[in-house]
Amino acid sequence: AGATRQREGGMKRVQSSVNFLGPHSPLGNQSPMGPGAASPLGAVARKPSLLEKTVGMSRLKRTQSSVALRDASPPSPLAAVAKQPQGKVQLLVVFDMDNTLVGDLVSLSDRDNIETNVPWQYWPPGKSKGLTPDYILPFLHRGMLRPGVAELVRYLQSIGATIVVYTHSEEKWAVKVCAAIERAVGVKFIKKMFSRSACRDGHPEFTAKKSLKFIHRELQREGLLWVSLHNTIMFDDDGATLNAAEKSRLIKVPSYDYWEKSPWDEVVNDELLAKNPPHLADTVRYSVIEWGIAPPTYRKKGERTKEDVKQDAKWAIQRHKKEQVLASFNKVAHLDRVFFDVVTVLQQNLGDIPGLPEKIRTQLGKSKKRW
């Protein structure tokens, strides 16, 4: 979980980006260990641990990411980078993922996290482990994909812009989501995907959560020598994600909060937990309680007391209220016009790439007043 790392006498910095375009895209790659293989952690992780959240952390409690049971699988190999497409403009467009391109994925990511990042010794035959892009795709069609994403990326492709995704989500989860987004849009448009380990989590020297300078350096190493701060625009729902020197290129978009539930215990149920070592069951128990997706006395050993019943009932009421609030955002999600407005501004001002961020911000401010 989290930024994928190996345990070999200490944490090592590993791959922080994924190349999407080209014949060797990692979207279909499996771990070199193979599906269903036991993680090396299974031999050493005997004390209960908390799983680290794999979705972007900007809107989650800090306590939910403080301790990690890290997956020890080696990162997927880098693919060859596709050549810069022949286009009309030299424009780099950087998209955040969570609450920018897509809505609230926490429920889906929690389930995927539990199924894929626990080193299960037993897994039900015939059951896939973790969510696939095919599973995520219907959520996007129902509203999880922000309105206007398809129209915007198709326009950007038509003018030859280069598009990357820069997310605080963990790499293996983000790859699945980006693959589903490309299928929903109907075109492969993501040149490269940068994940959590390309954020300050993996680079403590960063002065903000993300760094365009880092992105530019990585792309220039791969032949895109034209990329610079002045021909880059970035879309993110977090207005503090870049430092002061780069903030002029950031367009803060309203958070897109469409939400759906995906039961985390559809496969990881009591029967499965009983067939695995107790320390793995404890990892799941402590994680889901900490995340607030299971009652306080979930799988508590011994007899349940009246206080236990009272606590669980209180949790159920609070959980129901929270889900009602989350679902209420869906009523207005389909009215979101942010990316449609962005297309309009680009069409009218493509000759002034350095001035695009300010022009887009101005248009979005006017639109917000109309809303």
Side-chain angles (χ1 to χ4, degrees):
T4 308
R5 298 172 183 170
Q6 293 175 322
R7 290 184 175 178
E8 295 179 357
M11 294 298 182
K12 296 182 179 180
R13 181 173 298 170
V14 298
Q15 177 180 337
S16 61
S17 62
V18 172
N19 295 298
F20 270 51
L21 301 177
H24 304 294
S25 169
L27 295 183
N29 288 358
Q30 298 292 332
S31 165
M33 297 169 61
S39 164
L41 281 179
V44 296
R46 287 295 180 265
K47 293 183 179 180
S49 304
L50 288 178
L51 289 168
E52 182 177 351
K53 284 280 189 175
T54 55
V55 75
M57 298 302 300
S58 63
R59 306 186 61 191
L60 297 173
K61 294 180 180 179
R62 186 61 195 163
T63 55
Q64 294 179 341
S65 63
S66 57
V67 183
L69 172 66
R70 300 191 181 277
D71 180 78
S73 303
S76 55
L78 284 169
V81 181
K83 295 180 180 180
Q84 165 71 8
Q86 297 298 317
K88 301 175 185 177
V89 298
Q90 290 184 334
L91 173 65
L92 175 65
V93 182
V94 182
F95 287 105
D96 172 49
M97 189 177 79
D98 298 288
N99 302 106
T100 298
L101 287 175
V102 295
D104 187 339
L105 293 170
V106 173
S107 182
L108 282 79
S109 69
D110 283 346
R111 174 175 174 176
D112 180 79
N113 192 356
I114 293 167
E115 292 186 6
T116 61
N117 290 326
V118 173
W120 301 107
Q121 294 189 18
Y122 167 81
W123 189 258
K127 293 284 187 179
S128 61
K129 186 183 293 185
L131 306 186
T132 65
D134 285 339
Y135 180 91
I136 300 169
L137 186 60
F139 288 84
L140 299 180
H141 286 320
R142 289 194 294 266
M144 192 66 76
L145 183 68
R146 189 173 207 143
V149 169
E151 288 77 6
L152 177 54
V153 299
R154 286 170 183 161
Y155 174 74
L156 291 172
Q157 278 200 322
S158 74
I159 62 175
T162 297
I163 303 171
V164 302
V165 171
Y166 194 2
T167 176
H168 191 245
S169 286
E170 187 267 342
E171 180 187 303
K172 291 190 295 183
W173 169 243
V175 165
K176 296 178 182 182
V177 176
C178 286
I181 292 173
E182 288 190 325
R183 294 183 192 181
V185 170
V187 294
K188 290 186 175 297
F189 64 90
I190 302 172
K191 174 77 171 182
K192 200 174 185 71
M193 189 273 293
F194 296 87
S195 59
R196 183 176 298 174
S197 56
C199 298
R200 188 159 53 187
D201 302 61
H203 297 269
E205 72 277 10
F206 285 3
T207 55
K209 182 187 295 183
K210 299 176 182 178
S211 169
L212 290 179
K213 182 179 180 180
F214 175 84
I215 300 300
H216 294 154
R217 185 169 65 245
E218 293 297 304
L219 294 176
Q220 288 166 359
R221 286 174 177 171
E222 295 169 351
L224 302 185
L225 302 180
W226 56 269
V227 297
S228 69
L229 189 63
H230 298 295
N231 58 18
T232 299
I233 58 176
M234 179 173 179
F235 297 94
D236 200 307
D237 66 301
D238 182 357
T241 197
L242 297 177
N243 64 27
E246 299 178 338
K247 198 170 183 179
S248 64
R249 310 312 297 173
L250 174 65
I251 298 114
K252 182 184 181 302
V253 297
S255 179
Y256 184 66
D257 297 322
Y258 183 94
W259 174 85
E260 277 194 54
K261 185 176 182 179
S262 179
W264 65 267
D265 54 354
E266 186 172 310
V267 178
V268 182
N269 50 34
D270 287 341
E271 180 181 356
L272 181 143
L273 293 174
K275 294 181 179 179
N276 278 277
H279 73 277
L280 296 184
D282 285 342
T283 293
V284 172
R285 178 192 172 211
Y286 294 142
S287 297
V288 296
I289 292 175
E290 174 69 15
W291 299 345
I293 59 176
T297 63
Y298 171 69
R299 289 185 64 82
K300 179 182 176 180
K301 298 175 182 177
E303 294 185 10
R304 283 165 52 83
T305 65
K306 291 182 179 180
E307 183 60 27
D308 292 338
V309 174
K310 183 178 179 181
Q311 287 184 15
D312 287 356
K314 182 180 179 180
W315 171 87
I317 293 172
Q318 292 175 338
R319 182 68 184 174
H320 178 67
K321 288 181 178 178
K322 180 180 179 180
E323 291 182 353
Q324 284 185 317
V325 171
L326 292 171
S328 69
F329 295 126
N330 301 352
K331 297 177 182 178
V332 295
H334 70 283
L335 301 176
D336 188 286
R337 314 314 286 171
V338 168
F339 284 149
F340 293 107
D341 286 343
V342 172
V343 172
T344 300
V345 176
L346 290 174
Q347 291 172 333
Q348 296 172 352
N349 300 278
L350 203 54
D352 181 20
I353 290 178
L356 280 178
E358 183 58 33
K359 288 181 169 64
I360 294 173
R361 285 193 290 265
T362 299
Q363 179 59 45
L364 294 183
K366 292 178 181 178
S367 298
K368 186 176 180 180
K369 291 180 180 179
R370 290 200 307 270
W371 300 338

